[in-house]
Amino acid sequence: MNERTGDEVESGDIVKGYEVGEGEYIVVEPEELDAIAPGRSQTIDITDFVDLEVIEPVYFDRTYYLAPRGKEYTKVYELLRAALAQSNRVGVATFVMRGKQYLTALRAEERVLVLQTLHWADEVRDPGKELPELPSGRASKGKELDMALQLVDSLEGPWNPARYRDTYQEKVRELVKAKAEGQEVAAAEEAPAATDVVDLMQALQGSIDQARGSQKSTRPKAKQSELARRTARKPAARTAKKSAARKAPPKRGRASTDSRKQHGAGKSELRQLSKAELYQRATEHDVPGRSKMSREDLVDALAHPGRRRKKRAA
């Protein structure tokens, strides 16, 4: 199809060319391409053996199973497979298939050799050049990293590919079946909207709490990690305090003294809490300006609840 006129172009008028400049092409004839095209590979020639770990996952493409050419080759086949498995190395090779040359990695599985095609180096993009915003440094040790590790630990589980399904394809089949039977097709649920993370600690704590709740409902207690069992009790205690605060709001006058004591807890006690926990308490007590406070500001505001309100009123 001609992009400018919209007219259909006959196959005899189509040529192959290589762009060497803007609007400038070098036309290449089919017989010229055939003359330099590599023939189909009859063998896979290994040129190097490299450690499997040094090949970045981004280079791997498609996987093929390899079989010996005949029964007489099974011993050599198994020797190569065992050598690769024990050395944890892969054989790097090139071969031609369907008129295209491939870079490949020959790798050992439990009982079979697999051939994985690899991307060429110029096909892999540099993320530093392609992505506009990347962290300038590494995450250092601290409370936020500890909470992120807790989140990873709370979702730990064995690799089982059968657990994961293509839910979109399932919905397509349901849609086709419903239309074939003349049924009304239900509208799809809207995807959750993106949210802006104002406080990373609060976001991590929410993810951890959600993961633990899901873990309790789907996994036996015996399979929960020791870290998850130790920390799972904390959110339940905070939930109980929130519920009690809603059911029994403090009365005005002298009876509100206990509430002020609970709100204005000692600094030593408050400093034992994470920033997410401090922020949660500040939210419960409607501390003004809490979203911009540092951890120490939150401790001070909760220890002396009346002081910040007076400053704000002034």
Side-chain angles (χ1 to χ4, degrees):
M1 186 73 70
N2 189 313
E3 294 182 356
R4 288 179 296 177
T5 65
D7 297 333
E8 185 174 351
V9 180
E10 299 293 337
S11 58
D13 296 328
I14 298 176
V15 296
K16 293 185 177 181
Y18 189 86
E19 188 175 12
V20 294
E22 188 175 353
E24 183 180 356
Y25 295 85
I26 299 296
V27 177
V28 182
E29 300 298 335
E31 56 269 19
E32 294 175 319
L33 292 174
D34 293 339
I36 63 172
R40 178 183 176 186
S41 295
Q42 301 298 319
T43 60
I44 298 174
D45 298 321
I46 299 174
T47 58
D48 303 286
F49 290 99
V50 302
D51 291 336
L52 178 60
E53 287 82 2
V54 302
I55 303 179
E56 299 174 25
V58 70
Y59 281 92
F60 288 100
D61 188 12
R62 304 190 68 177
T63 303
Y64 300 86
Y65 291 119
L66 290 184
R69 296 180 62 181
K71 192 173 183 179
E72 63 273 22
Y73 296 100
T74 55
K75 184 176 181 180
V76 176
Y77 179 93
E78 171 55 23
L79 281 173
L80 177 58
R81 189 210 64 80
L84 291 175
Q86 292 187 31
S87 64
N88 197 35
R89 289 186 172 91
V90 298
V92 179
T94 59
F95 84 108
V96 177
M97 180 174 63
R98 303 187 189 96
K100 182 179 178 181
Q101 189 175 33
Y102 291 89
L103 179 66
T104 64
L106 186 65
R107 188 167 60 83
E109 286 286 355
E110 184 66 27
R111 295 179 57 191
V112 67
L113 285 170
V114 296
L115 187 73
Q116 294 188 279
T117 59
L118 304 173
H119 294 292
W120 299 96
D122 61 354
E123 295 176 332
V124 178
R125 297 179 177 181
D126 182 356
K129 297 178 180 178
E130 301 291 337
L131 304 180
E133 295 292 340
L134 286 175
S136 58
R138 298 285 186 180
S140 58
K141 293 181 180 179
K143 191 68 177 179
E144 292 179 349
L145 182 57
D146 290 342
M147 294 187 70
L149 291 171
Q150 287 185 35
L151 175 60
V152 173
D153 183 81
S154 65
L155 293 173
E156 179 187 5
W159 165 243
N160 180 10
R163 288 178 54 201
Y164 309 98
R165 307 189 315 276
D166 187 346
T167 56
Y168 176 71
Q169 291 296 327
E170 291 178 355
K171 290 180 179 180
V172 170
R173 286 193 289 269
E174 292 174 2
L175 170 64
V176 172
K177 182 180 178 182
K179 295 193 71 172
E181 296 176 354
Q183 299 178 2
E184 185 177 351
V185 180
E189 297 180 2
E190 290 187 8
T195 57
D196 294 327
V197 178
V198 177
D199 190 310
L200 181 59
M201 297 288 284
Q202 183 186 20
L204 286 171
Q205 185 64 55
S207 297
I208 292 172
D209 293 344
Q210 183 178 4
R212 288 173 185 153
S214 175
Q215 190 181 52
K216 286 181 180 180
S217 62
T218 57
R219 296 184 187 176
K221 289 184 179 180
K223 291 187 178 181
Q224 291 186 18
S225 66
E226 182 63 26
L227 177 59
R229 287 200 296 270
R230 287 201 307 268
T231 57
R233 289 189 289 268
K234 292 182 179 178
R238 289 198 299 273
T239 303
K241 289 180 180 179
K242 288 171 65 178
S243 177
R246 292 194 190 100
K247 291 180 179 178
K251 296 180 180 179
R252 297 184 180 274
R254 295 179 60 185
S256 64
T257 304
D258 292 337
S259 175
R260 287 198 301 270
K261 287 182 180 179
Q262 182 181 2
H263 185 178
K267 286 190 175 183
S268 59
E269 176 190 345
L270 292 169
R271 286 196 176 100
Q272 296 177 9
L273 303 178
S274 67
K275 186 177 179 181
E277 293 168 332
L278 292 168
Y279 187 89
Q280 183 64 43
R281 287 199 180 186
T283 302
E284 293 171 8
H285 297 286
D286 196 24
V287 175
R290 57 187 177 276
S291 62
K292 297 181 180 179
M293 290 183 185
S294 65
R295 187 174 183 278
E296 191 59 32
D297 290 337
L298 288 169
V299 169
D300 186 64
L302 291 168
H304 306 287
R307 184 180 300 174
R308 291 191 69 89
R309 284 196 172 92
K310 291 178 181 178
K311 288 182 179 179
R312 190 181 183 189

